[in-house]
Amino acid sequence: MNRMEEYQRLAEELEDAVPGLEQSLRKAKYRRLCRNIIWRPLTGLAAVFALFVVLVNVSTPVANACSQIPILRRLAEAVTFHQSLQDAVEHEYAQVMDLSQTDGDVTATVEYLIADKSKLYIFFRIQTDEEMPIMTDGTVSYQYSILPRGAEKIQEEGCHGLGWHNFEVLENGLRMAELEFIGQARHAIINQVSFQLNVYAADYTKMDHFWEMENLGEPVAKFDFELEYDPDLIAHSKTVFVDQSFELDGETFTVEKVEIHPTHMKVQLSEDPRNTRNLDGLGFYVESEDGTRFAKSGDASSGGPWESILQYELASPYFYDVEGMRLVVTSAVWIDKEKQSAQVDMIGEKAESLPEGWEFLSAQKYSDEWLLILREPYEENRKEMIALDYKCYDPNGKEWHMQSDFQMGEPDAEGEITYMLRTIRLKGYPFGEITLNFKHMTRFAADTPIVIPIQ
Amino acid sequence: MQEKEFAQRAQKIRGKLYKTAVLYLGSHSQAVDALDEAIYKGLCACRRLRESQYFDTWLTRILINVCNDELSRQKRICPIDEMPEMAAEQFDALPLKDAIERLPKELREIVILRYFSGFTLSETAKLLGIPQGTVVTRQRRALQLLRLSLDEEVTA
């Protein structure tokens, strides 16, 4: 064989031996994850885990074994419902906590935590000796520092009550508590919180109304976790000041700013005070130049004391390499500014001037609260509808806020559902009469979506 | 560069990477270990890579550094006297793979990158941080020693 033939043969042998990189990539991802974990404070199981991590970094056989350990797999499985949390976990933007406490027959384990400057997500598991339905509430408290210009550092404290709406039960038994930092706390790096958790033996599936969750009795177990996490792993967020106005169906809005956090994107809009109608909901999404869409994940919340400021939450582009982002508005639900009123005599069980299709069914007084039941017409995808306003008024004109929820009615002979049963709760209401307000709402779909450039 | 793109592009050039590592280190298992290390380092640093058109040379550079570190480590663990430079006719007697291993380091690198990993003259110069003219001179010398009649642009 001459040299050229040797060369060709050697080249072919090398070509045949080329391995795939799947294993290398998998090992690299876990190695990087282990490198991040090692800086966590060490307590209990975490100390053993950190030693394992050191071994991973120096020993190839152990490194191979690490690729089998589902460090974040349970979390990845649990957050598939939430695009941004899923993206965060895929990019290892999550911290392993692994802290357990036991109170009687109940063990709580805080397994993971995802934090950015705006939100904190705590992932935990509750195990009980006997299988029983449980519910949770609690608080999260923390301290942070702010440095006002030209002044000395100020130490502040924050405390959030976590009600039932702050918790969610995820896949594979993991539970999630979510809280949003507000005010000055959003500008600080908070890397230590006290998580106080109450566990109740209660089954929400057996409750008729959500307010029944207020009366869960005494907790069967209580826990206090001190959660300390790596501040270097709290990413800085980005704010894009847009300040672009647009007109939709004759009404004017301004896209004020867009905040991009690892866990979500927030779009803030303001309504022009000269608008003839208020906005109940806006149909829109954010899209990048390459067509990647970031959908809305939450309805509008008020941006503060000004009702004309609206904030919407969307999936975040934080982990994507996107350019040329734009906001695409497709539809809206308008509320007429004028409200329609109806007088309800709860003692006499009669009502006047209810909107067409609405019917007053009953009113019951329990201890210090009234429960009213109304029948409300229902039609899917109606262009126009009448909805009950949460503000109502007593005989003296004072404003009260009701709680209400609904149940779908029975299907008719054609299998169509044409009504809902609306239950109104008036807690602490001392009078026998009430004025209800109804708002007239209209759906609007834009023939051509309105596009507002963001970056 | 995002991780997904890193993974895709690394997979695309895995042939170049593997051949570079195996010819630098002389064994399949050491080459796989070096690949693992280079992929890990590349993954950690990929977000800082601004100009993705240089991805191939960038990742190969990381790999070459890993290979050189390994060779230095092997020398520290098991120091051997530097082999005397071989006379040209002695290369003839060796199988090609052994002859490549016995080339002086600066010539071996050129042969690996140009004629097995498939890098161009300009890419090789960038990878090694030397002028193209130097690459030409060295590859001519290496091919003479190996008795290989490979064209300037011929690659494996």
Side-chain angles (χ1 to χ4, degrees):
Chain A
M1 198 184 330
N2 63 32
R3 260 319 192 220
M4 273 310 292
E5 286 167 349
E6 268 193 278
Y7 167 73
Q8 295 292 352
R9 189 162 151 187
L10 180 57
E12 280 165 19
E13 277 174 13
L14 292 175
E15 189 63 46
D16 289 344
V18 172
L21 289 185
E22 296 82 6
Q23 182 87 328
S24 297
L25 286 162
R26 212 166 23 243
K27 281 194 261 182
K29 283 186 178 182
Y30 279 119
R31 260 184 82 181
R32 194 176 62 170
L33 174 66
C34 293
R35 180 195 71 177
N36 288 341
I37 292 169
I38 197 168
W39 297 110
R40 222 170 23 87
L42 304 180
T43 51
L45 285 172
V48 174
F49 190 71
L51 175 62
F52 172 76
V53 167
V54 171
L55 290 173
V56 160
N57 280 326
V58 300
S59 161
T60 305
V62 179
N64 287 337
C66 183
S67 67
Q68 308 303 318
I69 305 291
I71 298 172
L72 288 184
R73 198 178 69 195
R74 281 199 304 275
L75 183 58
E77 285 167 359
V79 296
T80 53
F81 67 98
H82 192 299
Q83 184 61 51
S84 295
L85 291 182
Q86 196 178 348
D87 290 338
V89 175
E90 275 177 21
H91 289 82
E92 288 129 21
Y93 188 84
Q95 303 197 37
V96 177
M97 290 284 111
D98 208 13
L99 300 170
S100 270
Q101 291 179 14
T102 298
D103 182 7
D105 296 334
V106 184
T107 298
T109 304
V110 176
E111 296 198 3
Y112 309 97
L113 183 149
I114 294 177
D116 60 27
K117 291 187 77 177
S118 175
K119 285 202 179 195
L120 174 65
Y121 292 88
I122 302 170
F123 299 88
F124 63 98
R125 194 177 298 275
I126 304 291
Q127 284 156 311
T128 56
D129 284 355
E130 293 171 15
E131 284 287 323
M132 62 178 180
I134 58 170
M135 293 183 67
T136 53
D137 68 17
T139 60
V140 168
S141 53
Y142 49 88
Q143 292 184 333
Y144 61 97
S145 304
I146 55 171
L147 192 61
R149 199 166 285 183
E152 289 184 6
K153 195 160 72 170
I154 301 172
Q155 192 79 359
E156 296 279 0
E157 288 183 358
C159 185
H160 294 256
L162 300 178
W164 59 269
H165 58 281
N166 292 105
F167 291 87
E168 203 159 333
V169 182
L170 310 180
E171 297 291 328
N172 61 29
L174 212 53
R175 292 168 185 259
M176 179 177 85
E178 174 185 351
L179 78 90
E180 184 162 3
F181 296 113
I182 56 174
Q184 294 279 16
R186 290 162 60 85
H187 303 290
I189 296 285
I190 297 165
N191 69 305
Q192 188 171 352
V193 302
S194 300
F195 176 42
Q196 191 271 317
L197 180 68
N198 300 318
V199 178
Y200 303 85
D203 187 353
Y204 72 89
T205 62
K206 292 194 165 50
M207 296 176 186
D208 291 326
H209 306 291
F210 66 84
W211 50 77
E212 291 173 43
M213 297 190 212
E214 293 171 15
N215 304 312
L216 297 178
E218 284 300 308
V220 297
K222 288 186 177 186
F223 304 94
D224 278 290
F225 288 97
E226 291 299 317
L227 305 179
E228 194 175 335
Y229 42 102
D230 189 345
D232 289 341
L233 297 182
I234 299 173
H236 286 270
S237 308
K238 182 180 167 184
T239 300
V240 179
F241 291 95
V242 181
D243 196 26
Q244 288 272 336
S245 294
F246 66 94
E247 196 176 288
L248 181 68
D249 195 22
E251 313 292 359
T252 305
F253 299 88
T254 301
V255 181
E256 303 279 354
K257 62 178 179 177
V258 174
E259 291 176 10
I260 299 172
H261 307 272
T263 60
H264 65 287
M265 173 164 56
K266 193 164 280 185
V267 172
Q268 182 170 300
L269 293 98
S270 59
E271 296 181 271
D272 191 316
R274 292 166 295 185
N275 285 349
T276 59
R277 295 167 292 181
N278 290 329
L279 184 67
D280 182 67
L282 192 70
F284 73 96
Y285 53 88
V286 169
E287 189 177 63
S288 66
E289 213 166 62
D290 65 0
T292 307
R293 277 198 192 180
F294 303 93
K296 243 178 20 174
S297 55
D299 291 328
S301 57
S302 171
W306 306 278
E307 286 193 353
S308 62
I309 299 288
L310 303 162
Q311 289 186 344
Y312 294 89
E313 210 168 283
L314 296 90
S316 175
Y318 186 88
F319 294 104
Y320 295 75
D321 197 9
V322 293
E323 286 181 6
M325 288 211 298
R326 51 195 180 226
L327 194 145
V328 182
V329 180
T330 56
S331 63
V333 177
W334 304 119
I335 308 173
D336 286 353
K337 289 198 175 182
E338 275 197 35
K339 304 281 188 289
Q340 181 178 346
S341 298
Q343 310 297 322
V344 179
D345 176 359
M346 295 183 289
I347 297 172
E349 289 196 292
K350 53 184 191 247
E352 289 175 9
S353 310
L354 282 172
E356 189 180 333
W358 284 74
E359 189 183 335
F360 172 71
L361 295 181
S362 69
Q364 296 279 347
K365 187 107 194 305
Y366 299 94
S367 179
D368 73 333
E369 67 182 36
W370 279 98
L371 285 185
L372 280 63
I373 301 179
L374 285 81
R375 183 183 159 121
E376 174 183 341
Y378 172 80
E379 186 188 322
E380 212 165 331
N381 299 322
R382 285 171 292 177
K383 193 168 177 215
E384 298 198 14
M385 57 210 135
I386 306 279
L388 184 63
D389 195 0
Y390 71 97
K391 293 180 193 170
C392 48
Y393 298 87
D394 68 19
N396 299 322
K398 183 188 165 195
E399 183 178 293
W400 290 74
H401 293 176
M402 69 171 73
Q403 289 171 303
S404 81
D405 69 9
F406 66 90
Q407 289 166 291
M408 298 306 289
E410 296 294 327
D412 62 16
E414 279 87 49
E416 297 283 327
I417 296 176
T418 59
Y419 71 94
M420 296 193 301
L421 293 175
R422 171 78 53 186
T423 304
I424 297 168
R425 183 199 192 203
L426 298 165
K427 190 172 176 186
Y429 190 79
F431 303 98
E433 291 171 358
I434 190 147
T435 300
L436 301 178
N437 276 349
F438 295 85
K439 41 192 183 180
H440 183 250
M441 297 163 72
T442 315
R443 285 187 210 273
F444 168 77
D447 291 330
T448 308
I450 294 162
V451 179
I452 301 108
I454 294 174
Q455 50 163 214
Chain B
M1 174 179 286
Q2 296 292 320
E3 282 174 25
K4 202 170 170 182
E5 190 187 351
F6 172 84
Q8 284 167 350
R9 294 188 69 164
Q11 283 279 22
K12 258 181 150 169
I13 63 165
R14 68 185 191 279
K16 275 183 179 179
L17 297 173
Y18 172 75
K19 290 172 201 173
T20 304
V22 80
L23 289 171
Y24 256 86
L25 298 171
S27 95
H28 170 81
S29 60
Q30 286 181 38
V32 168
D33 284 349
L35 260 182
D36 281 354
E37 183 67 18
I39 291 295
Y40 167 67
K41 288 185 168 177
L43 186 70
C44 290
C46 67
R47 284 179 195 268
R48 296 196 295 271
L49 179 65
R50 293 196 194 285
E51 294 175 78
S52 56
Q53 67 265 34
Y54 299 127
F55 177 83
D56 292 8
T57 47
W58 170 79
L59 189 56
T60 307
R61 180 72 252 170
I62 292 175
L63 177 67
I64 291 173
N65 288 341
V66 167
C67 292
N68 284 331
D69 288 346
E70 175 59 19
L71 290 170
S72 301
R73 190 191 70 85
Q74 286 175 5
K75 271 197 189 147
R76 283 197 302 274
I77 291 169
C78 185
I80 51 170
D81 292 335
E82 280 289 338
M83 285 195 239
E85 209 169 287
M86 283 172 48
E89 56 273 16
Q90 287 174 297
F91 279 91
D92 281 353
L94 292 173
L96 181 61
K97 194 172 174 212
D98 294 343
I100 292 170
E101 269 179 53
R102 293 299 302 273
L103 283 172
K105 180 174 175 286
E106 66 273 12
L107 301 187
R108 188 170 73 245
E109 287 176 333
I110 303 288
V111 168
I112 292 171
L113 295 173
R114 289 282 290 124
Y115 298 110
F116 289 94
S117 303
F119 288 99
T120 64
L121 206 58
S122 143
E123 286 169 343
T124 303
K126 274 202 183 69
L127 269 166
L128 299 177
I130 55 178
Q132 281 194 31
T134 309
V135 175
V136 171
T137 308
R138 289 181 186 177
Q139 77 184 12
R140 196 167 293 148
R141 177 68 185 141
L143 292 176
Q144 275 173 357
L145 286 173
L146 295 174
R147 297 278 192 259
L148 269 175
S149 300
L150 289 171
D151 199 31
E152 291 282 303
E153 298 309 316
V154 167
T155 55

